[in-house]
Short mmCIF file of all heavy atoms in Angstrom, two decimals:
data_model
loop_
_atom_site.label_atom_id
_atom_site.label_comp_id
_atom_site.label_asym_id
_atom_site.label_seq_id
_atom_site.Cartn_x
_atom_site.Cartn_y
_atom_site.Cartn_z
N LEU B 200 73.51 -284.92 -193.41
CA LEU B 200 74.64 -284.74 -192.50
C LEU B 200 74.67 -283.35 -191.88
O LEU B 200 74.86 -283.18 -190.69
CB LEU B 200 75.95 -285.03 -193.25
CG LEU B 200 77.22 -284.71 -192.45
CD1 LEU B 200 77.24 -285.55 -191.17
CD2 LEU B 200 78.46 -284.97 -193.29
N ARG B 201 74.44 -282.34 -192.75
CA ARG B 201 74.57 -280.99 -192.23
C ARG B 201 73.57 -280.72 -191.11
O ARG B 201 73.91 -280.18 -190.06
CB ARG B 201 74.35 -279.98 -193.36
CG ARG B 201 74.77 -278.56 -193.03
CD ARG B 201 74.38 -277.63 -194.16
NE ARG B 201 73.04 -277.93 -194.63
CZ ARG B 201 71.94 -277.49 -194.04
NH1 ARG B 201 72.03 -276.72 -192.99
NH2 ARG B 201 70.76 -277.82 -194.53
N SER B 202 72.33 -281.17 -191.32
CA SER B 202 71.35 -280.88 -190.27
C SER B 202 71.62 -281.74 -189.03
O SER B 202 71.43 -281.29 -187.89
CB SER B 202 69.92 -281.05 -190.79
OG SER B 202 69.48 -282.36 -190.64
N PHE B 203 72.09 -282.95 -189.23
CA PHE B 203 72.47 -283.78 -188.08
C PHE B 203 73.58 -283.11 -187.28
O PHE B 203 73.56 -283.06 -186.06
CB PHE B 203 72.97 -285.16 -188.53
CG PHE B 203 71.87 -286.08 -189.00
CD1 PHE B 203 72.18 -287.20 -189.77
CD2 PHE B 203 70.55 -285.83 -188.68
CE1 PHE B 203 71.18 -288.06 -190.20
CE2 PHE B 203 69.55 -286.69 -189.11
CZ PHE B 203 69.86 -287.80 -189.88
N ARG B 204 74.50 -282.56 -188.03
CA ARG B 204 75.64 -281.91 -187.37
C ARG B 204 75.16 -280.71 -186.57
O ARG B 204 75.56 -280.48 -185.44
CB ARG B 204 76.65 -281.50 -188.46
CG ARG B 204 77.75 -280.57 -188.02
CD ARG B 204 78.68 -281.24 -187.04
NE ARG B 204 79.49 -280.26 -186.35
CZ ARG B 204 79.56 -280.14 -185.03
NH1 ARG B 204 78.87 -280.96 -184.25
NH2 ARG B 204 80.31 -279.23 -184.47
N GLN B 205 74.27 -279.92 -187.16
CA GLN B 205 73.76 -278.75 -186.46
C GLN B 205 73.00 -279.13 -185.20
O GLN B 205 73.03 -278.41 -184.20
CB GLN B 205 72.84 -277.95 -187.37
CG GLN B 205 73.62 -277.18 -188.42
CD GLN B 205 72.71 -276.40 -189.33
OE1 GLN B 205 71.51 -276.66 -189.37
NE2 GLN B 205 73.27 -275.46 -190.05
N MET B 206 72.32 -280.25 -185.26
CA MET B 206 71.60 -280.68 -184.07
C MET B 206 72.52 -281.38 -183.09
O MET B 206 72.10 -281.76 -182.00
CB MET B 206 70.47 -281.63 -184.47
CG MET B 206 69.26 -280.87 -184.93
SD MET B 206 67.99 -281.98 -185.46
CE MET B 206 68.49 -282.28 -187.10
N GLY B 207 73.76 -281.57 -183.52
CA GLY B 207 74.72 -282.20 -182.63
C GLY B 207 74.45 -283.66 -182.39
O GLY B 207 74.63 -284.16 -181.29
N ILE B 208 73.96 -284.37 -183.40
CA ILE B 208 73.68 -285.78 -183.16
C ILE B 208 74.64 -286.71 -183.91
O ILE B 208 74.41 -287.90 -183.99
CB ILE B 208 72.22 -286.15 -183.47
CG1 ILE B 208 71.89 -285.93 -184.94
CG2 ILE B 208 71.26 -285.34 -182.61
CD1 ILE B 208 70.52 -286.48 -185.31
N VAL B 209 75.73 -286.15 -184.44
CA VAL B 209 76.76 -287.03 -185.00
C VAL B 209 78.12 -286.67 -184.37
O VAL B 209 78.38 -285.52 -184.04
CB VAL B 209 76.89 -286.91 -186.54
CG1 VAL B 209 75.73 -287.60 -187.23
CG2 VAL B 209 76.98 -285.46 -186.97
N ALA B 210 78.93 -287.71 -184.21
CA ALA B 210 80.26 -287.49 -183.63
C ALA B 210 81.29 -287.51 -184.75
O ALA B 210 81.10 -288.18 -185.77
CB ALA B 210 80.56 -288.59 -182.61
N GLY B 211 82.38 -286.80 -184.56
CA GLY B 211 83.45 -286.82 -185.54
C GLY B 211 84.15 -288.17 -185.55
O GLY B 211 84.16 -288.89 -184.56
N THR B 212 84.71 -288.54 -186.71
CA THR B 212 85.32 -289.85 -186.80
C THR B 212 86.79 -289.78 -187.19
O THR B 212 87.42 -290.81 -187.42
CB THR B 212 84.57 -290.71 -187.84
OG1 THR B 212 84.55 -289.98 -189.07
CG2 THR B 212 83.16 -290.99 -187.41
N ASP B 213 87.32 -288.56 -187.27
CA ASP B 213 88.69 -288.42 -187.77
C ASP B 213 89.73 -289.22 -186.99
O ASP B 213 90.71 -289.70 -187.53
CB ASP B 213 89.09 -286.94 -187.77
CG ASP B 213 88.47 -286.22 -188.95
OD1 ASP B 213 88.55 -286.76 -190.07
OD2 ASP B 213 87.88 -285.14 -188.75
N ASP B 214 89.48 -289.36 -185.68
CA ASP B 214 90.46 -290.06 -184.86
C ASP B 214 90.49 -291.55 -185.11
O ASP B 214 91.38 -292.26 -184.65
CB ASP B 214 90.15 -289.82 -183.38
CG ASP B 214 90.24 -288.34 -183.05
OD1 ASP B 214 90.84 -287.60 -183.85
OD2 ASP B 214 89.69 -287.93 -182.01
N PHE B 215 89.46 -292.05 -185.78
CA PHE B 215 89.37 -293.51 -185.91
C PHE B 215 89.43 -293.99 -187.36
O PHE B 215 89.74 -295.12 -187.64
CB PHE B 215 88.06 -294.01 -185.30
CG PHE B 215 87.89 -293.58 -183.85
CD1 PHE B 215 87.30 -292.37 -183.52
CD2 PHE B 215 88.35 -294.41 -182.83
CE1 PHE B 215 87.15 -292.00 -182.19
CE2 PHE B 215 88.20 -294.03 -181.51
CZ PHE B 215 87.60 -292.83 -181.18
N ILE B 216 89.09 -293.10 -188.28
CA ILE B 216 88.91 -293.54 -189.66
C ILE B 216 90.26 -293.61 -190.38
O ILE B 216 91.20 -292.87 -190.05
CB ILE B 216 87.96 -292.56 -190.37
CG1 ILE B 216 87.34 -293.21 -191.62
CG2 ILE B 216 88.69 -291.28 -190.78
CD1 ILE B 216 86.16 -292.43 -192.14
N THR B 217 90.35 -294.54 -191.32
CA THR B 217 91.53 -294.59 -192.19
C THR B 217 91.08 -294.10 -193.55
O THR B 217 90.40 -294.84 -194.28
CB THR B 217 92.05 -296.03 -192.32
OG1 THR B 217 92.02 -296.62 -191.03
CG2 THR B 217 93.43 -296.06 -192.91
N PRO B 218 91.40 -292.88 -193.93
CA PRO B 218 90.84 -292.32 -195.17
C PRO B 218 91.12 -293.17 -196.38
O PRO B 218 90.28 -293.29 -197.27
CB PRO B 218 91.52 -290.95 -195.27
CG PRO B 218 91.90 -290.60 -193.87
CD PRO B 218 92.23 -291.90 -193.20
N GLY B 219 92.24 -293.78 -196.42
CA GLY B 219 92.60 -294.57 -197.59
C GLY B 219 91.71 -295.77 -197.82
O GLY B 219 91.74 -296.37 -198.89
N ASP B 220 90.91 -296.15 -196.86
CA ASP B 220 90.03 -297.31 -197.02
C ASP B 220 88.90 -297.05 -198.00
O ASP B 220 88.22 -297.98 -198.42
CB ASP B 220 89.39 -297.67 -195.68
CG ASP B 220 90.38 -298.41 -194.79
OD1 ASP B 220 91.42 -298.81 -195.31
OD2 ASP B 220 90.08 -298.59 -193.59
N TYR B 221 88.63 -295.78 -198.30
CA TYR B 221 87.39 -295.48 -199.00
C TYR B 221 87.64 -294.76 -200.30
O TYR B 221 88.67 -294.11 -200.50
CB TYR B 221 86.49 -294.62 -198.11
CG TYR B 221 86.31 -295.23 -196.75
CD1 TYR B 221 87.06 -294.80 -195.66
CD2 TYR B 221 85.38 -296.27 -196.57
CE1 TYR B 221 86.91 -295.38 -194.42
CE2 TYR B 221 85.22 -296.87 -195.31
CZ TYR B 221 85.99 -296.41 -194.25
OH TYR B 221 85.85 -297.00 -193.03
#
Side-chain angles (χ1 to χ4, degrees):
Chain B
L200 173 60
R201 193 186 44 82
S202 89
F203 286 163
R204 168 66 196 125
Q205 285 179 344
M206 278 177 276
I208 63 172
V209 286
T212 55
D213 282 313
D214 298 343
F215 304 88
I216 200 165
T217 317
D220 283 348
Y221 309 98

